[in-house]
Amino acid sequence: MAAISNETRQRTGKTSVLARREAIEMYICLAPWLIGVVVFTLGPMLASVVLSFMDWKLLKPPVWVGLDNFVSIFTSDPLFTKALVNTAYYTGFSVPLQLITAFLVAMLLNTRVRGLAIYRTIFYIPSVFSGVAVAIMWIWILHPNAGLLNQGLGILGIQGPNWLGNPQWAMPAMIIMSLWGGIGSPMVILLAGLQGVPQHLYEAAEVDGANGWHKLRHITLPMMSPVIFFSLVVGIVGSFQVFGASYILTGGGPNYATYTMVLKIYQNGFTQFRMGYATAQAWILFLILVTFTYLQFRLSRRWVYYETETVGKR
Amino acid sequence: MQTEIGGEDHELYMKEVYPKFTEKTGFEVEVEVVPWGDDLITKLQTMGAAGTLADVATDISPWSRTFVDAGMCLDVTEALKTYNFPYEDLKAGSPIQEAYTVDGKVYGMNLEVACVACIIVPELFKKAGLPEPTKDWTIQDLKELAKKLTIREGDKVVQWGVGTDPGSGWYREAFLETADAPLVKPDNITPQANHPDAVALMQMYQDMRFKDNTMPTSADRQLLQGAGDSWMTGVYEGKVAVHFGCCGAQRNLDKFGKVEYKFAHLPKFKRGGSALAGTGYFVYSQTKYPTEATQLMFHLCSPETQKIDAEVLGWWPSLKSVRESFFAGVKANPGNYDTMNDIILNARLAPSSLVAGKALELQQIDAQRMSQVWEEGKPVQEVLDQIQKEFEAAIARKS
């Protein structure tokens, strides 16, 4: 049909008018989005590339400083390294913890239990709460004397630490909070993935005498690997951009223990008015994330199993 | 015309103030309320840079110099001669107007002032059989007083001798300056975190917190919170006997207080005087209505507005005449207000007002590093030396 239609179009020339009109209509429909991307995303991004080579105190015109901002970041700003290490620490613990917990919860919710929708909603609710409200609630949960967490630990005979006041415990506290609010979204995605694993694979494995662990190891995990991979990439990108938790929970403290990259960029840019310097750091963060994501994609070939690819190879 | 006001609470009395201006001049004013805190400064500066700032905007004394340096403020020196504004009264009321004056030119006007106050609960002194602090008490007396006023039940403190927040930010800065520990060098520009007097003072507080256990930690203070927006709750629930803090706390004391409180004289210091800050207004240099906006700024700082501000919010008026009439007329216990009036009259401009444009960054450094003193109990000298080093690095970057 398509071949006939193209032929007719070429012969008569009439349909090409139609095609042109369709194309125009398509561009009109796309225009708001395209304009939005150019004006609000691409434009500022390109402008920020230029700004990263400038000294701009916001209130005075920007001055070209070449690579000075980047040199300063790596040679005379110990807080940059501190923020980077803190962010990596947060990501290194919060993402795997969130993924594992979300996976376990998704597995639980993938069983035929009564009131499944209610449980699913309960687990998902924390992720729709306002981050600010959640952080304030956690300030009280983590209170060293009156907080729920330390009260609970007290019942077990454990003296809980000053979670947010002690530099050693502030970051673990932030990770615990992220776990509570951060499992909802990956849980829903993983649950959808679990429900898409063909039942006949499990039935065949059972016939072959596979137990629960075997089924998890050899069917569920390989079949779920693309979904896990997606959640991992999104999780790492998101957690590298953590801001609200450290801004509200601790202000980056105590003693910079929870000082993260985006909080530093915000403070440098919007409270210290070193816009060029902040922009340079934002680009470094972007490059780190791009590199990380690229590496993940490279490594994914070793562990992510795409059923369609295998079928294609056959 | 547009105006930008800092803090939601100011909106309360503005409802009364703006209609009066419209009535007088026929100009309609559109008001935008910006939340108090870092956001306010950020927003004002960003809009100033973008050329979209309101015709009249909030001017906080520590930031006034920065706004002037950035060319955001209109010079109103000449206008002062035309308008019937009691400028001499304002200057006599406190040194706050210095913050809005650069090289003899006036770039803004003050509305209300804030300084360090010492608030006591007389009943707790009575119970302990102790006399209330008099005009000649010293900061050293405070340590001993705190021990006598702290009450314990087993390991738990049920009444704190002294509750204060010398931790960081404006409080620490104001508190150090008030208590003889200069936060700026004699050039009045270079910050100085590790002055020997500052080290000694912080050491005294660290000892009160960790050794004597007579002053609450930040976590303890959090538990004293409740009503209002201030940790003053400890005072008005009778759990803290003596408190150093912002004089504006009295508005919460009046609002939520369950016990009688009283302003005491500040301890006697060598240099004397509390560190002072304040809020006012400036006219945006790029306003399309310079004459009308200037008129509005004067109206927003006028005796009439200051009186409404004091009555509605309980802030301290910067005009001497308004403050005195307010003290005399509003409160049953004028002695309280005489004490505060005395403190305001003898106050000195807070040093952050002098370290223009660097205050917030320095406060951020201070807030982060001081936790080592207050939470970890690290040696004060070591921490303050480190802070000084970082202050200097920050200033070098700025310049």
Side-chain angles (χ1 to χ4, degrees):
Chain A
M1 272 302 276
I4 294 166
S5 168
N6 281 337
E7 210 175 284
T8 316
R9 232 177 264 152
Q10 280 165 3
R11 207 173 338 115
T12 59
K14 278 182 183 175
T15 44
S16 66
V17 174
L18 186 67
R20 220 175 294 137
R21 189 182 294 166
E22 273 180 0
I24 290 167
E25 281 170 3
M26 179 194 75
Y27 283 117
I28 289 171
C29 291
L30 280 176
W33 184 84
L34 282 174
I35 292 167
V37 166
V38 171
V39 174
F40 297 111
T41 308
L42 213 58
M45 267 183 84
L46 290 173
S48 73
V49 175
V50 180
L51 269 180
S52 67
F53 297 101
M54 293 179 136
D55 177 19
W56 188 28
K57 291 188 172 69
L58 203 69
L59 297 168
K60 287 169 185 169
V63 180
W64 183 264
V65 291
L67 287 169
D68 277 9
N69 286 332
F70 292 94
V71 172
S72 296
I73 288 167
F74 291 112
T75 58
S76 60
D77 189 354
L79 285 181
F80 176 78
T81 319
K82 178 82 182 161
L84 195 60
V85 170
N86 282 346
T87 312
Y89 173 16
Y90 175 80
T91 304
F93 282 91
S94 70
V95 174
L97 273 173
Q98 277 177 21
L99 264 183
I100 292 167
T101 316
F103 190 75
L104 292 175
V105 173
M107 295 244 311
L108 281 174
L109 295 179
N110 196 34
T111 53
R112 286 177 190 168
V113 287
R114 191 179 286 182
L116 191 67
I118 296 168
Y119 292 126
R120 204 162 41 203
T121 310
I122 289 170
F123 279 108
Y124 190 70
I125 276 177
S127 56
V128 296
F129 283 162
S130 146
V132 176
V134 168
I136 289 169
M137 182 186 79
W138 274 90
I139 287 174
W140 282 105
I141 291 174
L142 296 165
H143 191 280
N145 306 332
L148 268 180
L149 188 56
N150 278 6
Q151 297 267 347
L153 289 172
I155 293 168
L156 301 172
I158 301 165
Q159 165 85 47
N162 183 356
W163 292 98
L164 300 177
N166 185 321
Q168 283 174 323
W169 287 102
M171 187 57 93
M174 217 167 94
I175 292 166
I176 291 171
M177 191 191 92
S178 79
L179 190 62
W180 185 81
I183 63 163
S185 299
M187 182 268 290
V188 169
I189 293 166
L190 290 166
L191 183 60
L194 281 172
Q195 286 170 351
V197 179
Q199 202 57 36
H200 65 83
L201 294 178
Y202 292 115
E203 287 163 5
E206 276 165 20
V207 170
D208 289 344
N211 61 22
W213 167 249
H214 290 141
K215 284 190 276 182
L216 174 73
R217 171 76 184 79
H218 298 289
I219 299 172
T220 311
L221 286 177
M223 293 300 287
M224 285 292 288
S225 58
V227 185
I228 295 171
F229 176 60
F230 169 78
S231 301
L232 186 71
V233 171
V234 171
I236 288 176
V237 171
S239 69
F240 255 93
Q241 295 175 49
V242 60
F243 171 76
S246 60
Y247 181 71
I248 294 156
L249 212 58
T250 57
N255 200 16
Y256 297 107
T258 55
Y259 198 57
T260 57
M261 278 297 293
V262 177
L263 180 61
K264 181 171 175 10
I265 291 168
Y266 165 77
Q267 285 192 345
N268 286 163
F270 290 98
T271 65
Q272 297 167 12
F273 293 98
R274 298 163 71 198
M275 279 295 169
Y277 192 72
T279 312
Q281 289 174 95
W283 272 100
I284 292 171
L285 178 64
F286 175 73
L287 291 175
I288 289 170
L289 282 174
V290 168
T291 312
F292 241 103
T293 311
Y294 172 74
L295 286 175
Q296 284 180 82
F297 270 91
R298 286 298 298 262
L299 290 170
S300 72
R301 291 175 194 168
R302 296 185 187 175
W303 65 276
V304 178
Y305 165 77
Y306 292 102
E307 198 180 12
T308 47
E309 259 179 27
T310 318
V311 170
K313 276 176 194 167
R314 278 175 194 167
Chain B
M1 262 193 308
Q2 277 188 325
T3 185
E4 204 93 35
I5 55 173
E8 295 85 343
D9 57 352
H10 282 76
E11 199 181 5
L12 291 172
Y13 78 88
M14 286 300 173
K15 281 176 188 160
E16 287 188 48
V17 172
Y18 285 109
K20 284 184 179 166
F21 178 74
T22 307
E23 206 177 286
K24 271 187 203 169
T25 61
F27 290 111
E28 291 287 336
V29 182
E30 191 187 313
V31 185
E32 188 181 349
V33 182
V34 186
W36 193 259
D38 295 359
D39 295 349
L40 172 63
I41 306 293
T42 304
K43 197 166 181 189
L44 288 178
Q45 295 208 47
T46 311
M47 290 194 298
T52 55
L53 191 61
D55 302 283
V56 178
T58 296
D59 200 351
I60 307 152
S61 65
W63 286 92
S64 185
R65 194 68 178 256
T66 311
F67 297 160
V68 173
D69 287 350
M72 284 162 63
C73 312
L74 191 75
D75 177 1
V76 295
T77 320
E78 284 304 309
L80 257 175
K81 294 171 188 164
T82 328
Y83 292 96
N84 185 26
F85 187 84
Y87 192 58
E88 290 308 314
D89 185 4
L90 182 66
K91 286 207 287 184
S94 76
I96 194 67
Q97 192 55 28
E98 284 172 32
Y100 307 95
T101 312
V102 180
D103 299 330
K105 290 179 178 170
V106 181
Y107 289 97
M109 304 296 286
N110 181 262
L111 164 72
E112 61 199 19
V113 289
C115 63
V116 172
C118 177
I119 294 158
I120 62 165
V121 181
E123 193 192 331
L124 303 181
F125 276 77
K126 216 183 216 176
K127 273 188 193 165
L130 293 167
E132 290 173 21
T134 54
K135 239 181 170 177
D136 58 351
W137 74 309
T138 64
I139 194 83
Q140 282 73 31
D141 294 335
L142 184 73
K143 199 177 173 192
E144 293 311 308
L145 199 61
K147 283 181 191 167
K148 290 171 188 164
L149 286 163
T150 299
I151 298 174
R152 292 181 178 82
E153 275 173 14
D155 286 345
K156 205 180 163 198
V157 176
V158 291
Q159 179 186 302
W160 296 97
V162 172
T164 193
D165 184 15
S168 64
W170 189 85
Y171 289 113
R172 184 166 114 76
E173 178 191 297
F175 200 76
L176 282 174
E177 278 290 318
T178 302
D180 278 341
L183 205 72
V184 285
K185 288 184 176 170
D187 63 4
N188 270 348
I189 292 170
T190 319
Q192 183 183 27
N194 56 351
H195 187 279
D197 287 344
V199 176
L201 191 68
M202 289 295 109
Q203 190 61 59
M204 187 186 96
Y205 278 112
Q206 197 190 44
D207 290 347
M208 284 168 76
R209 182 164 288 181
F210 289 102
K211 286 184 183 164
D212 301 347
N213 198 21
T214 54
M215 194 169 87
T217 61
S218 54
D220 294 323
R221 270 205 320 274
Q222 234 176 343
L223 290 181
L224 298 173
Q225 280 182 353
D229 57 358
S230 154
W231 28 262
M232 290 299 300
T233 317
V235 179
Y236 47 73
E237 285 182 343
K239 290 176 186 165
V240 172
V242 181
H243 189 94
F244 281 106
C246 176
C247 66
Q250 59 125 47
R251 58 204 183 118
N252 276 341
L253 288 164
D254 286 340
K255 203 169 169 186
F256 304 107
K258 293 172 188 167
V259 293
E260 284 281 310
Y261 73 94
K262 198 172 175 181
F263 286 112
H265 283 279
L266 293 176
K268 208 171 177 182
F269 301 115
K270 279 181 279 180
R271 296 193 298 157
S274 164
L276 187 78
T279 304
Y281 291 94
F282 69 89
V283 178
Y284 183 36
S285 55
Q286 294 180 38
T287 177
K288 285 177 190 164
Y289 318 101
T291 312
E292 295 80 5
T294 307
Q295 207 174 338
L296 176 62
M297 182 195 69
F298 285 130
H299 177 75
L300 292 177
C301 302
S302 67
E304 193 183 8
T305 307
Q306 290 208 4
K307 192 167 177 290
I308 297 171
D309 180 36
E311 278 170 0
V312 176
L313 297 180
W315 283 110
W316 299 86
S318 54
L319 282 162
K320 194 164 175 270
S321 58
V322 178
R323 202 160 65 232
E324 281 170 356
S325 65
F326 177 73
F327 293 153
V330 176
K331 283 285 166 183
N333 180 2
N336 251 344
Y337 292 87
D338 291 342
T339 309
M340 268 314 300
N341 192 28
D342 195 42
I343 291 172
I344 293 170
L345 285 173
N346 289 299
R348 292 168 298 119
L349 201 58
S352 59
S353 308
L354 306 166
V355 191
K358 303 177 187 82
L360 205 53
E361 185 173 359
L362 302 191
Q363 283 179 5
Q364 279 164 0
I365 294 170
D366 204 49
Q368 291 288 347
R369 296 303 189 197
M370 281 308 286
S371 64
Q372 296 172 95
V373 170
W374 303 123
E375 305 295 344
E376 297 173 71
K378 270 196 178 175
V380 174
Q381 180 80 60
E382 192 187 301
V383 177
L384 292 186
D385 285 347
Q386 182 191 14
I387 290 175
Q388 178 62 22
K389 225 185 260 178
E390 289 179 24
F391 274 7
E392 283 166 14
I395 286 163
R397 271 201 305 271
K398 289 271 178 189
S399 54

